[in-house]
Structures are given as C-alpha cells and as structure tokens.
Amino acid sequence: MLTKNDLAPDFELKASPDESFSLQQFRGKNVILAFYPADWSPVCGDQMALYNEMLTIFAKYNAVLLGISVDSKWCHKAYADQRKLRFPLLADFEPKGAVSRKYGAYDEKEGQSERALFVIDGNGVIRWSYLSPILVNPGADGIIEALETITTSTTTNHGVKTHTSA
C-alpha cells in the first residue's frame, strides 16, 4: 500500500454515466481518497454517512472527498441517491480494481477494494494513509489529524518540512 511521501498516482474514473473525475483536476486542493469494499454493505454505509456529515469540516481544510470502490457507476448513482451522499463515488469498475491496485488497496481474494484511506496534499503527495480492518469503520480522526498537519506545515520541493506561521 502506498504510504506517506509517495506520489499519488493519477486516475480518471466515472462517478455517473456522464461525469468523470481525475485526481489531477484537484491539484491545489487536499484530497481524501476513501477506498471501500462495496456500496450497500453495513460498515461502508456507516463510513460513507459519517464522511457525508463531515464534508463541511473537510472543506475548512481545503479538502475534497472521493469515495472509490469496484461497484459500477450505476450502482454508485443508486447508492448515492438513496443515501443522499453529497460527494462523488468513483467506479473502479473496468478494468476492475485498476486504481485500487495502483494504491495497493485491492483485495485480490475478495475481488474488491480494501477499506483504505489516503490524504493527499495539493501537490499530489500522500501525506497519510491507513488500511483499516474490513469490518471496522475507520472513522475520521486520522483524516482530520493529517489535514491539520498539512495546514500547519508545508513541504518544500526537496521534501523538507518546514512549519509556517499562522
């Protein structure tokens, strides 16, 4: 699994039949990638509902949230509509799990994304990652801590961290 200071691989995935998102389009913003096993599973439902409620907090950190699983764009649309989710769910559907594999967040045995989180800074560098047990909602504490770290420090082009004054 990719970890802190790795460059986040770019991707472009469908969120709906007529809407796609790429990581590149969010350059300059912090991005939270939430890989999860499947729409409609109980733990995934709780996790995505929590993140939906936290969108305004994430926005205070100049962050956007993208959910990713191997479900299809049609499944994501139905799930997002039913759960009233206000962030994109991206279909890592075909080739199945290709983006999940790039991030090291694919469960080959189950044929689904792992429950993995990545916080990526505005330069496309992973600042935090976490692989959660599949039956455990990882919550948002780690995400918030990573976003706090990003907002209080910057990384130079040489990878040396410096703190900025508030």
Side-chain angles (χ1 to χ4, degrees):
M1 188 167 114
L2 297 178
T3 60
K4 184 176 180 178
N5 294 327
D6 286 336
L7 189 61
D10 194 23
F11 57 81
E12 182 171 346
L13 294 171
K14 291 276 192 184
S16 69
D18 56 355
E19 188 174 32
S20 296
F21 290 92
S22 70
L23 183 60
Q24 179 69 32
Q25 77 184 78
F26 295 107
R27 277 294 161 106
K29 288 188 162 276
N30 299 312
V31 176
I32 304 157
L33 296 182
F35 290 88
Y36 63 99
D39 293 342
W40 309 106
S41 79
V43 177
C44 296
D46 291 346
Q47 182 184 6
M48 294 304 120
L50 170 66
Y51 296 162
N52 199 49
E53 294 302 315
M54 298 197 64
L55 289 175
T56 55
I57 294 169
F58 295 154
K60 290 178 182 174
Y61 292 99
N62 190 32
V64 296
L65 170 66
L66 303 171
I68 300 176
S69 80
V70 298
D71 294 299
S72 75
K73 58 193 172 197
W74 296 105
C75 187
H76 281 328
K77 182 173 182 349
Y79 182 67
D81 288 350
Q82 196 272 340
R83 300 297 299 247
K84 299 181 177 20
L85 299 178
R86 297 173 283 121
F87 60 91
L89 299 177
L90 305 181
D92 194 10
F93 185 69
E94 189 60 40
K96 185 178 181 182
V99 173
S100 300
R101 285 183 173 92
K102 285 182 179 179
Y103 281 79
Y106 187 75
D107 182 337
E108 297 284 346
K109 182 179 176 188
E110 297 294 327
Q112 63 190 22
S113 299
E114 298 272 9
R115 189 174 312 284
L117 299 169
F118 295 87
V119 174
I120 301 165
D121 69 18
N123 295 316
V125 176
I126 295 170
R127 300 294 295 270
W128 179 79
S129 63
Y130 178 72
L131 179 63
S132 177
I134 207 76
L135 296 176
V136 176
N137 178 347
D141 291 348
I143 294 169
I144 297 299
E145 289 173 18
L147 292 171
E148 282 283 343
T149 300
I150 291 171
T151 58
T152 57
S153 67
T154 59
T155 301
T156 67
N157 290 336
H158 304 291
V160 177
K161 286 186 177 178
T162 58
H163 289 278
T164 58
S165 57

